[in-house]
Amino acid sequence: MTSTSAAQEHERPRFTFGENWRSFLERLDDKRVAEAERSLQQMLGNPSLTGKRFLDIGSGSGLFSLAAHNLGADVVSIDYDHDSVGCTQELKRRFAPHASNWQIDQGSVLDQARIESLGTFDIVYSWGVLHHTGQMDRAIEIAASATQPGGQLFLAIYNDQGGASRRWLKIKQTYNRLPKPLRPLWVLAIASWYECKFALARLARLQNPSPLKDWRAKRDDRGMSAWHDWVDWIGGLPFEVAKPERIIVPLRQHGFVLNELKTVGNGWGCNEYVFERLETNK
């Protein structure tokens, strides 16, 4: 980054993701780790990552860095947030204290020189991160450049809901303007409102209105926590969104083919993409 863009990134209102992940680590157990491993295996289409170089951009809690490490990969974890780096280091200390093939650094994906210094990777993974940089398109471009020919680029990017996404931006801005002691109450209020809406929708379909099944599904899907996902979703700034074509078309023009796509339809949340960089692309 230039000195100007670096200063802008520091000045931009920004959610403290690491504080949320520090709390999440208190709930982390072997089952959540196993679910994270299964999620990677399913989306990447490979039961083992042995011999693969894995770059985790925005490592957050470190859960998926750990999952990749457990599946045999040589891992590089990088995060802009100091507390997130600390979380990843704590996870490594707890589960893989003697691992010499797991490197953890603090840095921004927008620092192209820093990313280039890490080399290229068989798998570049960035789940729910690049839309929080304030320069999403540029961040995707730099992440793609770190993917070696024949490698995979696994992204998750917020779905563009049009007007609903604009309303979520205001909710996030309100969270970040509130004093810290009031922020959990804001999360509780917003989450409760939506959970009630979801419960009524289930009831209208003659289903059990309880949210417990959905909360278990979130844990079983990626090993995550419903509460910590709500905090991340309601507080996360910067905030950008994209329809699938905004992600797919530019990457296709740069020599990537889409192998896996999991969308949320017209709903909110992240669309997941797994691309492969063509061998002939230079």
Side-chain angles (χ1 to χ4, degrees), residues 12 34 80 233 265:
R12 185 181 298 116
Y80 177 86
W233 173 251

Side-chain angles (χ1 to χ4, degrees), residues 29 46 76 85 153 193 199 202 213 251-252 259-260 281-282:
D29 54 23
N46 198 335
V76 176
V85 172
L153 174 63
W193 168 258
R202 287 190 289 267
K213 182 178 179 181
L251 284 169
R252 186 169 60 194
N259 286 342
E260 293 288 342
N281 188 61
K282 301 296 184 182

Side-chain angles (χ1 to χ4, degrees), residues 6 32 34 47 49 56 64 77 96 114 148 152 166 177 181 186 203 249 268:
R32 292 187 191 274
L49 301 184
D56 187 357
F64 280 83
S77 309
R114 177 70 174 278
Q148 68 179 28
Q152 293 173 289
R166 310 294 92 76
R177 284 195 296 264
W186 181 245
L203 194 60
V249 173
W268 53 283

Side-chain angles (χ1 to χ4, degrees), residues 36-84:
E37 293 171 14
R38 184 198 58 78
S39 172
L40 282 181
Q41 290 170 320
Q42 181 180 34
M43 289 298 289
L44 296 174
N46 198 335
S48 173
L49 301 184
T50 300
K52 305 284 189 182
R53 292 196 77 215
F54 184 99
L55 175 61
D56 187 357
I57 298 176
S59 58
S61 69
L63 174 58
F64 280 83
S65 289
L66 174 62
H69 167 76
N70 289 350
L71 293 172
D74 295 337
V75 178
V76 176
S77 309
I78 188 167
D79 203 295
Y80 177 86
D81 184 279
H82 179 270
D83 287 330
S84 292

Side-chain angles (χ1 to χ4, degrees), residues 17-30 32-33 59-64 66 83-95 102 223-225 227-228:
F17 291 94
E19 292 182 9
N20 189 39
W21 292 130
R22 237 190 355 252
S23 173
F24 170 72
L25 288 189
E26 297 174 4
R27 303 187 183 186
L28 187 63
D29 54 23
D30 290 339
R32 292 187 191 274
V33 175
S59 58
S61 69
L63 174 58
F64 280 83
L66 174 62
D83 287 330
S84 292
V85 172
C87 287
T88 304
Q89 290 171 333
E90 167 61 19
L91 209 60
K92 181 177 184 292
R93 185 199 65 77
R94 191 187 304 179
F95 289 94
W102 184 354
M224 303 306 288
S225 152
W227 170 256
H228 292 88

Side-chain angles (χ1 to χ4, degrees), residues 22-279:
R22 237 190 355 252
S23 173
F24 170 72
L25 288 189
E26 297 174 4
R27 303 187 183 186
L28 187 63
D29 54 23
D30 290 339
K31 183 176 180 180
R32 292 187 191 274
V33 175
E35 292 299 342
E37 293 171 14
R38 184 198 58 78
S39 172
L40 282 181
Q41 290 170 320
Q42 181 180 34
M43 289 298 289
L44 296 174
N46 198 335
S48 173
L49 301 184
T50 300
K52 305 284 189 182
R53 292 196 77 215
F54 184 99
L55 175 61
D56 187 357
I57 298 176
S59 58
S61 69
L63 174 58
F64 280 83
S65 289
L66 174 62
H69 167 76
N70 289 350
L71 293 172
D74 295 337
V75 178
V76 176
S77 309
I78 188 167
D79 203 295
Y80 177 86
D81 184 279
H82 179 270
D83 287 330
S84 292
V85 172
C87 287
T88 304
Q89 290 171 333
E90 167 61 19
L91 209 60
K92 181 177 184 292
R93 185 199 65 77
R94 191 187 304 179
F95 289 94
H98 304 299
S100 60
N101 61 340
W102 184 354
Q103 173 186 339
I104 303 169
D105 291 317
Q106 183 175 9
S108 169
V109 65
L110 298 176
D111 186 345
Q112 185 171 7
R114 177 70 174 278
I115 298 300
E116 288 178 348
S117 73
L118 300 174
T120 57
F121 293 80
D122 300 286
I123 300 162
V124 175
Y125 174 87
S126 191
W127 209 104
V129 173
L130 304 184
H131 47 231
H132 289 310
T133 62
Q135 299 181 50
M136 181 177 69
D137 294 337
R138 179 63 176 151
I140 292 173
E141 180 183 339
I142 294 172
S145 70
T147 311
Q148 68 179 28
Q152 293 173 289
L153 174 63
F154 185 171
L155 303 176
I157 301 294
Y158 282 149
N159 186 45
D160 186 350
Q161 295 180 271
S165 293
R166 310 294 92 76
R167 289 191 291 275
W168 275 112
L169 176 59
K170 293 186 181 300
I171 288 172
K172 292 167 183 285
Q173 290 170 336
T174 299
Y175 174 97
N176 284 275
R177 284 195 296 264
L178 286 171
K180 279 191 176 183
L182 297 182
R183 291 175 180 178
L185 297 178
W186 181 245
V187 173
L188 185 61
I190 299 298
S192 296
W193 168 258
Y194 277 94
E195 291 289 4
C196 286
K197 287 181 64 176
F198 300 155
L200 290 173
R202 287 190 289 267
L203 194 60
R205 297 192 298 267
L206 302 180
Q207 298 174 349
N208 185 345
S210 170
L212 294 178
K213 182 178 179 181
D214 282 355
W215 294 350
R216 283 194 298 268
K218 184 174 292 291
R219 171 174 173 153
D220 292 344
D221 181 34
R222 300 185 62 248
M224 303 306 288
S225 152
W227 170 256
H228 292 88
D229 271 1
W230 270 119
V231 174
D232 181 289
W233 173 251
I234 291 169
L237 281 180
F239 171 68
E240 291 183 75
V241 295
K243 294 185 182 298
E245 56 267 26
R246 180 178 167 189
I247 305 300
I248 296 169
V249 173
L251 284 169
R252 186 169 60 194
Q253 293 171 345
H254 285 84
F256 286 79
V257 295
L258 182 67
N259 286 342
E260 293 288 342
L261 174 63
K262 184 190 295 185
T263 74
V264 294
N266 294 323
W268 53 283
C270 287
N271 297 321
E272 298 180 67
Y273 311 82
V274 178
F275 295 90
E276 180 181 346
R277 188 172 191 177
L278 297 178
E279 293 278 2

